[in-house]
Each structure stands twice: as C-alpha cells, then as structure tokens.
Amino acid sequence: MTDLDTRVAPPHAPFLRRAVPALLGYAAVRALGLVVLALWSAARGKSAYTLLTARWDSLWYTRVAELGYGYEVRLPNGDVHSNLAFFPLLPWLERLLHAALPLSYADAGLVVSLLASLAAACGIFAVAERVYGPRVGVCAVLLWAVLPVGVVQSMAYSESLFTALAAWSLYALLTGRWLTAGVLAALAGLTRPVGAAVVAAVWVAGVISFVRGRRAMRTPGAETTSHAPAHTPGASDDVQAPALAPSAEAPFAPSVPPAPAWRRVLGMLIAPLGAAGYVLWVGHRTGKGPLGYLDVQAGWRNGFDGGYAFARFVGDKFTSFPSALAGVGLIVGVALLLWLYVAGVRRRQPVELLVYTGVVLALALCASSYFGSKPRLLLPAFPVLLPLAGALTRLRTSRSVLVTAVLAVASAIYGAFWLNGSGPP
C-alpha cells in the first residue's frame, strides 16, 4: 500500500480537483520536454518553435487552414502528395483562432495542440479513474506524457486533438452518455483516419447494449452489466478487473442505468458522420467516387496490407549487425504492445476500450505507411498503458516518483534528439 491516496482528492470531490495531480504532473513533464528541446535546438543553431510548428505535417495543416484544399506536390517518381490526405478539424480550428485572435496559423496550431494535450490528459485520467480509480488515473496520464515520442503532444499535429476527442468519447460511453459519445466520435472522425477506432467502439458498445437488453428481457431479474471496477478503498494497489455487476463497493464507477434505446441508436448514427462525410467529400472532389480518399492516400504510399510491409521492413534490418539490433528492438516493442493489450483483455477492460485500442493498434501496425511514423500513430492507444499504470501504483510513492522522473528526463532528451534529427514524418 502506498501513501498515494493522500495525493488525490476523494471520489466525491469535483472532477477538476481530482484531476489536479494528473494535470500538474503532465504539465511538468511537457514543460521539461520543451525546455530540453529549446536548449538542444539552440545549441545546434535551430529554432525549437520552427520544429514544433513549421515542419512535416504541421506545414500541411497550416496550408490547409490558410489556403484550403487543392494543394499538392508531384514528386520526381510520379507520386502525388495531396493535402486532401489531411482531415479538416485541426485546420478549421487553426483558421478559427487566426480569425479571432492575433495569431498566425502556425501559432494557432500550437495553441490548439497545447490545449488539446491538456484535454487529452484530463480524458485519459477520467477513463482510467472510471475503470480503476484515481491513483491509476494519475499514473496513466504520467505514463502517456513520458512516452518516447511524447514531444509530438506539444507539436502542431493532430495527435493530441484526436486523443482528447477519443478519450472523452470513450468516457461518455462508460458513463452512458450516448449522444455525447456519438458527437465526439464524429469529431474524432474529422481529425484523423483512425477515427474509425472511436466509431467502432461506439458501434460495438451499442450492439452489445441491445443484445444484453434483450437477454435481460428474456431473463427476468437478471443483473445489468456495468463498468464498475472491483475496487475498494484500502484494497490491493494492483489493477482490479471491472466487476460484472453493480456493487456498492465500487466507489469509482457507480452503476449506469441503461440509456433509452433512441439515445443509443442516435449516438451510433452520429458517430460515423465525421469520417464518412469527409471521405465522401474527397471522393466527390476527386471525381473518383466513395473510395477516392484511398487513391489520395496511395499517392502518399499509404495503405493497409495487414502488416506485410512492416514485417518486411523489420526483416530487412537483420541484413547487418548494427541494424539487426534495431530489428530486435522493433520486435520487442511490438511484442510489448501486444502483451499489454492481452493484459487488458485478461484484466477485463471494458469492451469499449478493447475495441478502440485494437483498431488503433491494427491500423498503426498493419499500414504500409512510412515506418518512422508508427510510434506517433500509436500515441492515441493510451488504454495499453493501464496495466503499466496499475503496476506503478503498487510501488511506494517515492519509487514511483523516481521512475516517472527518470522516464521524463529520458523522454525529453529523446524528443529533443529526434526533432533535431530526422524528426517525425
């Protein structure tokens, strides 16, 4: 048992008060990363601000915000890089801030990303607290902050915005707010192609709710399944599995009465509107029909091949000794991700989280896109961190703080090295 209970507000306190330790820890980690990035960049004669706002995908987003869609680059090999590959919500927000405040489009993108990263941290805390309690919530946020590519959370990219929308949509599902979940899923679908993961979570949860409802009608007196975790104050600090039925001893996730069927149906219908609307619009604009967006992605050499290209990429690393070490590292990394996902299944995470995480992992690992982008594509898969967060809560507070501090320093150094080198694609 740790004394971390004294660092978090009681379950009945207002949400923001309960989330304060997680937000302060997250802000401290990100501030450290930005300071190290600024010092490292200055030593190399580069601008940290430029690295955060005016390179790679951030340039494409600001061009969409400023000029709209239609810009493309034709490469010597015949590939066509079109800005239609970039979903519109982040550019829309950049344009809105630029119009409302004296900010450049790049400044607006940075502000959106910083605010979205805090919203994402709150959402991750809310989900983890709902399922496993506030201590795991705090640790989950800190682990998300100290990921090796955590610096992307502070860039004018769409990862933080998407993670915020996804986390809060999942939380809405866990608390029975179907309309909110559907709207947030639709907005996530306007942010990144992986918005399909949020839509899948809403749909699977909706179908299961109706199946359980029909079973309950056929079996009078059957208990309604809830997301309440089998967690009691003073119990073991290990991650606890969600209970199969409501329990008075589950203070962090009280039972949620089933929402009316029309709300569930409406939430399910709203969820795919964002992604479907943009994909269909791109197909209409390109004149290539409903699948026109796939042609746009093909111009970037992006596609879904079931992981064949990634497996071949890893296999090619074993042609020489130095690169073989990188190949081993990639295999270990993928194995760790899969092990954490299986751990979530064994700990009976809510089906919403499992479906969402599974789709994010599949789209990231089985896509034929540039392989250097895969670490940042995995950033939204925060539920895989919950088993690690549970393990972190089992340590004494002094040790968990030390582990987090070491990881934060390592993440800050790696982020600065990464952005001053090849950087994220």
Side-chain angles (χ1 to χ4, degrees):
M1 182 72 178
T2 73
D3 62 349
L4 189 58
D5 288 312
T6 64
R7 306 298 181 98
V8 296
H12 54 75
F15 173 78
L16 285 180
R17 181 184 169 192
R18 302 198 307 272
V20 162
L23 289 177
L24 290 178
Y26 179 81
V29 172
R30 292 275 35 92
L32 174 64
L34 293 176
V35 168
V36 173
L37 175 64
L39 295 175
W40 193 300
S41 302
R44 293 176 59 88
K46 295 183 179 180
S47 166
Y49 172 82
T50 299
L51 295 175
L52 293 172
T53 63
R55 292 186 67 184
W56 306 293
D57 287 7
S58 57
L59 278 178
W60 287 90
Y61 283 119
T62 55
R63 283 171 182 154
V64 172
E66 182 177 5
L67 305 173
Y69 285 105
Y71 177 81
E72 62 183 28
V73 175
R74 294 185 177 272
L75 303 183
N77 65 355
D79 289 344
V80 178
H81 288 184
S82 169
N83 65 359
L84 290 170
F86 295 88
F87 278 50
L89 185 57
L90 177 57
W92 286 349
L93 294 176
E94 290 177 345
R95 184 178 297 177
L96 179 63
L97 279 185
H98 172 75
L101 300 171
L103 296 173
S104 67
Y105 291 105
D107 291 338
L110 187 61
V111 170
V112 170
S113 181
L114 292 176
L115 293 178
S117 68
L118 293 174
C122 280
I124 293 170
F125 173 81
V127 170
E129 180 198 42
R130 178 77 188 179
V131 181
Y132 297 123
R135 288 175 291 135
V136 175
V138 172
C139 291
V141 171
L142 293 177
L143 288 176
W144 191 67
V146 302
L147 289 173
V149 295
V151 68
V152 175
Q153 299 163 16
S154 300
M155 298 178 67
Y157 271 43
S158 60
E159 272 74 15
S160 290
L161 178 60
F162 174 80
T163 304
L165 294 169
W168 282 109
S169 181
L170 293 172
Y171 179 75
L173 284 178
L174 293 173
T175 53
R177 297 175 172 90
W178 287 86
L179 295 182
T180 300
V183 170
L184 291 174
L187 292 174
L190 283 171
T191 307
R192 297 190 60 81
V194 75
V198 192
V199 177
V202 173
W203 273 75
V204 171
V207 170
I208 290 177
S209 74
F210 282 109
V211 170
R212 287 174 174 168
R214 295 192 64 177
R215 288 178 179 173
M217 292 176 62
R218 295 174 181 174
T219 311
E223 295 187 57
T224 302
T225 301
S226 79
H227 299 293
H231 185 291
T232 58
S236 169
D237 290 331
D238 195 0
V239 176
Q240 303 293 325
L244 290 178
S247 169
E249 295 181 338
F252 303 118
S255 301
V256 178
W262 71 268
R263 286 181 175 271
R264 285 176 277 168
V265 171
L266 188 55
M268 293 171 68
L269 292 177
I270 292 173
L273 293 182
Y278 181 69
V279 168
L280 291 175
W281 178 81
V282 170
H284 174 74
R285 183 181 176 106
T286 60
K288 296 182 178 180
L291 300 181
Y293 183 77
L294 297 181
D295 290 335
V296 172
Q297 286 284 14
W300 287 81
R301 305 231 170 187
N302 290 335
F304 188 87
D305 61 4
Y308 171 75
F310 184 45
R312 188 175 61 182
F313 172 78
V314 173
D316 290 342
K317 293 293 182 182
F318 290 93
T319 57
S320 64
F321 174 73
S323 63
L325 296 178
V328 171
L330 288 172
I331 293 175
V332 171
V334 172
L336 176 61
L337 282 173
L338 297 179
W339 179 81
L340 289 173
Y341 183 74
V342 172
V345 174
R346 295 180 64 182
R347 287 168 170 80
R348 293 161 58 195
Q349 282 186 9
V351 67
E352 297 88 340
L353 302 188
L354 295 176
V355 170
Y356 166 77
T357 307
V359 176
V360 172
L361 293 179
L363 291 178
L365 297 177
C366 298
S368 58
S369 57
Y370 178 61
F371 304 109
S373 66
K374 291 192 182 295
R376 71 174 177 87
L377 296 180
L378 292 165
L379 271 178
F382 67 89
V384 299
L385 299 174
L386 296 183
L388 292 178
L392 195 58
T393 62
R394 295 199 300 270
L395 300 176
R396 301 182 67 86
T397 300
S398 58
R399 291 183 181 178
S400 62
V401 169
L402 177 61
V403 169
T404 304
V406 170
L407 292 176
V409 171
S411 175
I413 293 174
Y414 180 77
F417 168 78
W418 194 34
L419 289 192
N420 279 277
S422 61

